[in-house]
Amino acid sequence: MSDLTETSRHARKLAAALEPFAGQVYFSPECHANYERLGFAPSPGSLGSGELGGVAMPEMESYFTSRGSVMGQVPGEVVAAAFGVFKPAVVIPAVTGGWGRTDASTIEAERTDGALGQLRRILGDAPDGVDRAHALLIRATEPLELAGRPLFAGLRAQAVPDDPLGAAWRHADMLREYRGDAHVALWTTSRVDACEIGILTELYWGLPARSYSRTRGWNEDDYAAAEARLESRGLLADQVLTDEGRSTRESIEVETDEACRPVLDALGDDIDELVEILRGWSSAIQEGQGYPAAGPVEMAEAAAGR
């Protein structure tokens, strides 16, 4: 990351430290159990192995419905628009099915309960630094504008848990979605569509073509058409990023970092303290198999450090 601007370095290290702590909600066995009680299918399996049986992967109908629930009981088209990278033809029927099982306020409550259940199981009720992290995360989210940030705005509308760990998680989730909302806004205005950004991103991370993005619902015909479009624009050649393709994808990431400048300005010199606390928690969560050992932010960091 030596060639990055100061803004990008700080934005990315915060995102990396934050990700397992905030994103563990999608792998929490407590969440999966809550969703099963609402009538959803169980986790389809685990990633990795070990004493705890590996990281429990999300079941997609409950994933789309629970994450989207913060925006209210909206149709699948709205969830597909907000999430951005998923194939709408996969999202829309999943959300329709989800709303046939439950309502937004119910599944949002189960989402929060399950997320906090896993955090307390792995970290305890009051992990080291919780009061300070809570205060800094509130400071980081308070000045953020709602415009163009649907998932961040939806989370801001939710009740904040009344204990420091729960409140810290809620604000961390807000920051995660704030960056995600900004990222979607930027690539959708960069002549890149949802399947194309998946291809560009996995190659940018150093992954094989048509690998990670397959979890977003795309099929071989989708990939072939998207790759042809990228090749016609000089961004891809034989499933390898061209120099222009890599520059295009990196520019989207840099602009995403810049969109997070209000967060960095709010934290000021205290960002390193927050990152240190979050890194400790996130490492414990990964060691406790509450989040994959190498998530998307780690892959992005590795790509930036080439």
Side-chain angles (χ1 to χ4, degrees):
M1 297 174 68
S2 58
D3 294 334
L4 297 179
T5 66
E6 183 177 7
T7 295
S8 284
R9 286 197 303 273
H10 284 311
R12 295 186 198 186
K13 74 180 180 182
L14 178 60
L18 190 79
E19 173 61 24
F21 175 61
Q24 55 82 29
V25 61
Y26 303 115
F27 305 93
S28 162
E30 289 85 347
C31 282
H32 298 326
N34 287 353
Y35 303 153
E36 280 190 71
R37 285 194 290 272
L38 297 177
F40 291 93
S43 166
S46 61
L47 177 67
S49 60
E51 185 179 344
L52 300 180
V55 178
M57 300 304 290
E59 184 275 323
M60 299 315 291
E61 189 173 285
S62 56
Y63 166 78
F64 291 127
T65 308
S66 62
R67 185 180 173 205
S69 69
V70 302
M71 298 184 293
Q73 199 143 333
V74 297
E77 288 85 350
V78 175
V79 175
F83 288 17
V85 294
F86 291 87
K87 186 174 182 177
V90 172
V91 179
I92 293 167
V95 174
T96 300
W99 294 146
R101 302 180 194 281
T102 188
D103 58 75
S105 60
T106 298
I107 197 168
E108 193 286 317
E110 298 293 355
R111 177 183 188 271
T112 297
D113 176 83
L116 300 189
Q118 170 156 264
L119 289 177
R120 290 167 181 147
R121 171 170 53 82
I122 295 175
L123 301 179
D125 292 333
D128 289 345
V130 66
D131 291 328
R132 181 61 171 158
H134 175 205
L136 290 174
L137 287 164
I138 289 174
R139 189 205 298 176
T141 55
E142 278 184 342
L144 303 182
E145 299 289 343
L146 301 181
R149 306 289 186 264
L151 288 166
F152 167 73
L155 281 168
R156 173 154 274 177
Q158 305 307 312
V160 176
D162 59 8
D163 66 293
L165 180 61
W169 174 75
R170 176 70 83 206
H171 287 86
D173 202 17
M174 288 185 204
L175 290 182
R176 182 181 188 272
E177 296 292 22
Y178 185 86
R179 184 181 177 96
D181 286 337
H183 190 59
V184 171
L186 287 161
W187 63 254
T188 54
T189 56
S190 300
R191 292 187 60 218
V192 178
D193 67 27
C195 188
E196 292 168 6
I197 192 64
I199 293 168
L200 291 175
T201 297
E202 61 197 359
L203 294 175
Y204 171 72
W205 288 344
L207 299 177
R210 308 185 182 190
S211 57
Y212 183 87
S213 64
R214 197 172 294 276
T215 63
R216 276 48 180 154
W218 307 107
N219 60 35
E220 295 304 314
D221 289 340
D222 299 324
Y223 284 126
E227 287 170 357
R229 293 191 298 272
L230 292 169
E231 287 180 0
S232 73
R233 303 205 299 275
L235 305 181
L236 195 68
D238 297 324
Q239 295 190 327
V240 175
L241 286 181
T242 64
D243 289 344
E244 184 178 355
R246 186 168 301 282
S247 175
T248 295
R249 181 60 186 82
E250 174 62 12
S251 70
I252 293 170
E253 204 66 26
V254 169
E255 289 172 3
T256 302
D257 298 333
E258 289 293 335
C260 295
R261 186 184 290 272
V263 176
L264 307 181
D265 289 345
L267 289 170
D269 293 339
D270 292 326
I271 187 171
D272 289 334
E273 182 182 6
L274 178 59
V275 165
E276 183 177 2
I277 296 169
L278 291 173
R279 277 178 177 163
W281 295 353
S282 287
S283 293
I285 290 165
Q286 288 174 302
E287 290 169 6
Q289 297 184 312
Y291 186 89
V297 176
E298 287 90 350
M299 290 184 245
E301 274 201 319
R306 297 190 177 88

